[in-house]
Amino acid sequence: MGNFVLQDLMAAGPIMRTVSLPRGRQTLHTMPTSAGYEIRADVSYDWDGRRRGLAPFTVLQHTIGGRGNLRYETRTMQLKPGETLLLLIPHNHRYWLEKGDRWEFFWMSMNGEEALRIHRSILAITGPVLHLQPVTIDRLASCCHRLVTGGETPGAASAIAYEAAMVLYDDVFGSHPTYAQEYRALQHVLEHIEGHLDQRLTVADLADVAGLSRAHFSRIFAASEGLPPAEFVLQKRLRRAAKLLTKTADMPVKEVAALCGFDDPNYFSKVFRRLYGTNPSDFRTSGMYASLTAAPRHEVN
């Protein structure tokens, strides 16, 4: 199948667009921030994933021609025609052009909870360089083309970004049974954690739930969720405790701790203060939970 939409995108010539949309009352969980098609041939094209701010977003960039360079943590590689780059920012990486090189590509960047979740899951399984089917590339080019032509409402722009994320999801997890199995295993672990926060949840236990070795489970879990398994569970426990403290005013703090998997009330108070900056009793009366859970207004950079 030919890349017909990709040809249309290229025929329009180099073009890019920052997707600036009005704020809405509701948080949109998948939202594009920029998109475009470019041909670069100068060393000024140089992006460091640690110097692009603290707000998380992702970059999906498909190489059409030429080549680019990528340093990803401790590995260095080249991006060749037909390869697709997927990156989460902030992160320890850099992609750039060497003197005399040329890089032709289209890209989309996006933010939002769901975009980050899907892209983290893909990165955990595949790493940053993807080899996608031609039909997938054409569908991604279609999403990019629609974004750069403009005119979308926030909801329509969000739908295009979500479509791009799902097209990528289908290619990676639909075409590779092993990847799909590991993704399902991670989702099963997340459900298990949510349903057993009052019980023992060691990393070894969670690896058993996933059916993976402890080392492999820890690696793909951290890459997918952005935190090591033990820290992820701890934060989940503390968030549940914060909710219980404010929703059940008569429940003793000790009982809240026990319901969230903390056998030692003193340890519970210590880690609670570390996350929220105050002890559980003061948190209960401060009204902090309402401000922490209020839906933020969506803003696209």
Side-chain angles (χ1 to χ4, degrees):
M1 180 175 180
N3 290 332
F4 302 117
V5 181
L6 177 57
Q7 295 300 323
D8 291 341
L9 181 62
M10 295 165 63
I15 184 173
M16 65 174 291
R17 179 186 174 213
T18 299
V19 185
S20 298
L21 296 165
R23 294 183 179 187
R25 294 178 59 86
Q26 302 298 322
T27 300
L28 297 175
H29 295 291
T30 306
M31 202 66 189
T33 57
S34 64
Y37 160 67
E38 288 190 80
I39 302 173
R40 300 300 296 260
D42 57 281
V43 295
S44 65
Y45 187 80
D46 193 332
W47 293 101
D48 189 326
R50 297 166 297 182
R51 298 180 180 178
R52 302 181 73 174
L54 297 177
F57 67 97
T58 65
V59 174
L60 180 66
Q61 183 161 306
H62 177 74
T63 300
I64 300 169
R67 64 182 182 182
N69 300 284
L70 170 67
R71 177 187 52 74
Y72 191 82
E73 297 175 347
T74 60
R75 293 174 290 159
T76 301
M77 58 199 87
Q78 287 192 332
L79 277 300
K80 300 181 289 295
E83 294 182 330
T84 305
L85 180 66
L86 177 63
L87 295 169
L88 175 68
I89 295 161
H91 179 265
N92 178 18
H93 69 255
R94 174 189 172 218
Y95 57 103
W96 75 99
L97 265 174
E98 295 283 2
K99 185 176 180 180
D101 281 348
R102 170 184 175 275
W103 199 358
E104 181 181 8
F105 53 85
F106 73 85
W107 91 94
M108 289 173 283
S109 62
M110 61 186 78
N111 60 18
E113 181 179 309
E114 187 66 3
L116 293 170
R117 185 182 72 84
I118 293 297
H119 288 165
R120 282 194 184 109
S121 297
I122 291 171
L123 279 167
I125 303 299
T126 67
V129 180
L130 312 178
H131 297 86
L132 304 174
Q133 300 175 64
V135 65
T136 302
I137 295 165
D138 205 43
R139 292 179 67 187
L140 292 173
S142 172
C143 293
C144 181
H145 191 265
R146 280 177 278 158
L147 289 173
V148 296
T149 56
E152 305 90 2
T153 63
S158 178
I160 293 171
Y162 186 74
E163 178 186 343
M166 292 300 101
V167 165
L168 199 63
Y169 172 94
D170 281 343
D171 187 293
V172 172
F173 295 113
S175 303
H176 305 280
T178 300
Y179 294 167
Q181 181 179 357
E182 291 187 351
Y183 178 79
R184 288 194 296 270
L186 284 179
Q187 302 314 301
H188 182 52
V189 169
L190 293 175
E191 293 170 3
H192 181 83
I193 291 171
E194 199 68 41
H196 298 82
L197 285 174
D198 59 335
Q199 300 175 27
R200 181 175 178 268
L201 291 171
T202 68
V203 176
D205 292 336
L206 297 178
D208 286 343
V209 171
L212 302 170
S213 72
R214 176 171 174 162
H216 184 57
F217 166 72
S218 295
R219 181 185 68 78
I220 67 171
F221 187 96
S224 175
E225 302 306 316
L227 289 171
E231 182 65 22
F232 180 90
V233 170
L234 177 61
Q235 292 203 15
K236 279 286 186 180
R237 294 190 198 277
L238 291 171
R239 290 192 181 100
R240 173 176 286 187
K243 183 175 182 179
L244 284 174
L245 285 167
T246 53
K247 301 297 183 181
T248 56
D250 297 329
M251 183 179 292
V253 171
K254 184 176 181 179
E255 187 174 345
V256 170
L259 286 173
C260 297
F262 295 99
D263 296 329
D264 183 348
N266 292 327
Y267 174 70
F268 168 61
S269 294
K270 178 182 177 180
V271 293
F272 191 93
R273 179 184 287 275
R274 188 182 77 188
L275 181 63
Y276 292 109
T278 186
N279 64 50
S281 297
D282 290 342
F283 181 91
R284 169 174 269 166
T285 58
S286 67
M288 284 179 62
Y289 182 76
S291 63
L292 289 170
T293 56
R297 289 180 178 273
H298 180 80
E299 182 175 9
V300 180
N301 296 321

